[in-house]
């Protein structure tokens, strides 16, 4: 089963799930023992296929750190925190977490776009 470690211990994912906001981006950093990389990708792919069918899901992408590291970054776009919360709390999804290798550690965090003049739109 995957171990969850807050990306920001001052405001962990459990607290973020209580906020009404949207759209949001889930950024999820994974670390895993090098020998378990294929198992991590397979478990993530299964999760991604399940999440794609959930209300409010928009998109997702998995990235691997360059070089020999065994760190992965996933980002997923959701219409709202409420939609992500419903999918994440679903008992069927929670069972999926058992498919991750025991060395896997995940650090999920939700973000929303902000406007930065002459650079980014909200």
């Amino acid at each position: 089963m995957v171990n969850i470690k807050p990306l920001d211990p001052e405001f962990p994912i459990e607290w973020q799930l209580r906020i009404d906001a949207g759209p949001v981006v889930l950024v999820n950093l994974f670390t895993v023992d090098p020998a378990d990389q294929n198992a991590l990708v397979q478990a993530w792919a299964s999760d991604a296929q399940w999440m794609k069918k959930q209300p409010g899901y928009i998109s997702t992408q998995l990235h691997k750190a360059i070089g020999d590291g065994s760190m992965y970054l996933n980002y997923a776009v959701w219409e709202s925190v409420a939609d992500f919360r419903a999918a994440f709390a679903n008992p069927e999804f929670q069972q999926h977490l058992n498919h991750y290798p025991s060395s896997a550690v995940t650090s999920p965090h939700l973000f929303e776009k902000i406007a930065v003049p002459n650079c980014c739109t909200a």
Side-chain angles (χ1 to χ4, degrees), residues 87-99:
F88 185 77
N90 185 300
E92 186 177 349
F93 174 73
Q94 289 296 311
Q95 287 297 316
H96 283 231
L97 299 179
N98 294 325
H99 300 290

Side-chain angles (χ1 to χ4, degrees), residues 7-50:
L7 189 59
D8 178 359
E10 299 295 319
F11 205 76
I13 190 73
E14 295 84 8
W15 296 359
Q16 295 167 43
L17 292 174
R18 298 180 200 151
I19 296 172
D20 289 325
V24 293
V25 174
L26 168 73
V27 173
N28 200 357
L29 186 65
F30 291 92
T31 56
V32 66
D33 288 343
D36 291 335
Q37 289 184 75
N38 287 339
L40 173 83
V41 171
Q42 289 175 357
W44 180 88
S46 176
D47 283 354
Q49 291 301 315
W50 188 86

